[in-house]
């Protein structure tokens, strides 16, 4: 029995194996690059009668890994307890993409979808810092992660602001007032106060001037 294929371009004889008996089977091994190919087998008996299978079979060889890029949330960003993890993958024969992360403990599989441009929603994430990535796999089982894990930070606790001065009273004259306050918050981004409609960013207690009004 002989194997014919077009692994190297033209549809030609690839290899032949001798068989015995009235019924037999064998395996052929051949090397191929990525692409779509045709193959068939021709059997020849001792009297020289030969026959191909009725139709050629087709096969696809895929040696190329998919590519994947993480879109959202951006690396080292702050988010709430519900996050839509977004990514984009590229592969001619893409099978699925899976979200991995340590969102609930160890770094492990969280969810899998069959889409090259996807969004995986995870809710109920506790406050903390987490790592995440996406692995995409094609139909030939070639699989790859994004080159690096991304970090996402979750903070759902509201800051606690305590103002001791100025008091919530009416002052009789123009004055320089002390702004004394304290903030309870682990992840402070900025602090500001507002006078006459203008936000002014500050870093600590201060004295500010006000006029009647």
């Amino acid at each position: 029995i002989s194997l014919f294929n077009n692994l190297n371009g033209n549809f030609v004889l690839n290899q032949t194996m001798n068989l015995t008996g009235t019924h037999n089977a064998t395996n052929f091994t051949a090397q191929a690059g990525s692409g779509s190919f045709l193959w068939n087998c021709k059997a020849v008996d001792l009297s020289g009668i030969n026959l191909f299978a009725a139709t050629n079979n087709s096969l696809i060889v895929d040696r190329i890994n998919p590519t994947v890029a993480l879109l959202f949330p951006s690396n080292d960003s702050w988010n709430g307890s519900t996050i839509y993890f977004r990514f984009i993958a590229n592969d001619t024969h893409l099978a699925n993409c899976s979200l991995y992360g340590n969102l609930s403990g160890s770094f492990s599989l969280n969810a899998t979808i069959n889409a090259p441009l996807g969004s995986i929603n995870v809710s109920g994430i506790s406050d903390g810092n987490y790592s995440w990535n996406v692995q995409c796999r094609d139909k030939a089982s070639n699989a790859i992660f994004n080159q690096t894990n991304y970090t996402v930070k979750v903070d759902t606790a509201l800051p606690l602001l305590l103002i001791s001065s100025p008091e919530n009273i009416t002052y009789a004259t123009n004055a320089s007032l002390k702004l004394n306050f304290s903030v309870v918050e682990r992840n402070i981004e900025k602090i500001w106060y507002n006078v006459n409609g203008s936000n002014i960013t500050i870093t600590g207690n201060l004295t500010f001037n006000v006029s009647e009004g």
Side-chain angles (χ1 to χ4, degrees):
I1 189 168
S2 299
L3 171 67
F4 287 74
N5 56 51
N6 64 344
L7 300 181
N8 296 315
N10 297 323
F11 192 85
V12 295
L13 173 66
N14 183 269
Q15 52 190 295
T16 297
M17 188 171 295
N18 294 324
L19 303 177
T20 60
T22 58
H23 183 275
N24 212 324
T26 190
N27 295 320
F28 289 104
T29 300
Q31 298 296 319
S34 294
S36 299
F37 305 99
L38 298 175
W39 69 278
N40 204 333
C41 286
K42 183 175 75 172
V44 182
D45 65 15
L46 294 177
S47 63
I49 298 175
N50 62 83
L51 184 69
F52 279 99
T55 58
N56 294 332
N57 286 338
S58 62
L59 62 88
I60 297 174
V61 178
D62 184 356
R63 296 176 177 269
I64 302 173
N65 285 329
T67 61
V68 56
L70 308 181
L71 301 180
F72 183 86
S74 57
N75 192 28
D76 209 32
S77 63
W78 290 97
N79 292 267
S81 62
T82 297
I83 303 177
Y84 290 85
F85 294 92
R86 297 188 179 96
F87 64 90
I88 185 169
N90 183 46
D91 191 276
T92 304
H93 310 291
L94 189 68
N96 57 62
C97 292
S98 301
L99 171 67
Y100 283 76
N102 60 345
L103 306 176
S104 57
S106 60
F107 192 88
S108 59
L109 174 65
N110 281 261
T112 298
I113 61 173
N114 302 320
L117 179 60
S119 178
I120 299 176
N121 177 30
V122 180
S123 59
I125 304 174
S126 300
D127 288 11
N129 297 347
Y130 302 96
S131 296
W132 69 282
N133 206 334
V134 171
Q135 183 191 61
C136 291
R137 182 181 303 273
D138 64 21
K139 295 178 181 178
S141 294
N142 300 309
I144 197 168
F145 281 95
N146 184 62
Q147 289 184 349
T148 58
N149 294 339
Y150 273 21
T151 297
V152 61
K153 303 173 183 178
V154 175
D155 183 1
T156 60
L158 295 174
L160 176 61
L161 176 62
L162 303 174
I163 299 175
S164 56
S165 177
E167 299 178 57
N168 187 23
I169 61 174
T170 300
Y171 290 85
T173 60
N174 296 346
S176 294
L177 300 179
K178 290 184 178 180
L179 175 58
N180 293 328
F181 64 92
S182 60
V183 179
V184 180
E185 169 59 51
R186 291 183 304 172
N187 306 304
I188 295 177
E189 180 182 9
K190 64 180 178 180
I191 304 171
W192 72 90
Y193 73 96
N194 184 293
V195 176
N196 297 327
S198 298
N199 290 333
I200 302 173
T201 301
I202 58 177
T203 58
N205 296 328
L206 53 80
T207 298
F208 63 95
N209 295 321
V210 292
S211 58
E212 183 176 353

